[in-house]
Amino acid sequence: MTISRKDIEKVAVLARIQVDDAQVSALEKDLGNILDLVDQLSAADTESVEPLAHPLDAVQRLRPDEVTETDQRAEFQAIAPATENGLYLVPRVIE
């Protein structure tokens, strides 16, 4: 697959980047090589390959769901400037 100079200039405008003529020529060559590689990958036979959710077949180790800290709600609310019914009161910021 080839990419044209016009395509590169259009993408540059959409991306709001400035590309001069020398860069367009280099990008045309580099992007053409990338698209050729993608074509080669697309041509590979993947019929017998099972799709993967992740390349590593790792299982995430989970810690036990245990309470590790004591309830300090009363102590925290005692030092708060204002509380009501177990909630922290804060100044209104939106009218």
Side-chain angles (χ1 to χ4, degrees):
M1 180 177 198
T2 59
I3 187 163
S4 70
R5 181 178 207 83
K6 184 179 176 182
D7 292 333
I8 293 173
E9 291 169 351
K10 181 178 179 182
V11 170
V13 169
L14 292 173
R16 290 177 167 62
I17 56 175
Q18 183 178 358
V19 181
D20 61 18
D21 290 338
Q23 290 175 319
V24 170
S25 298
L27 284 170
E28 190 174 2
K29 179 184 171 198
D30 291 343
L31 291 174
N33 290 339
I34 292 170
L35 292 174
D36 289 341
L37 180 61
V38 170
D39 285 340
Q40 288 177 9
L41 290 173
S42 296
D45 181 24
T46 58
E47 285 297 319
S48 61
V49 179
E50 187 175 326
L52 296 174
H54 194 276
L56 303 176
D57 243 354
V59 176
Q60 184 176 3
R61 293 181 296 167
L62 300 175
R63 63 174 173 75
D65 190 15
E66 298 172 351
V67 176
T68 58
E69 296 182 14
T70 59
D71 181 18
Q72 299 177 13
R73 178 178 172 206
E75 291 86 1
F76 291 141
Q77 292 210 337
I79 61 174
T83 61
E84 183 180 303
N85 297 327
L87 303 173
Y88 295 96
L89 300 178
V90 295
R92 177 176 284 193
V93 293
I94 298 175
E95 296 297 325

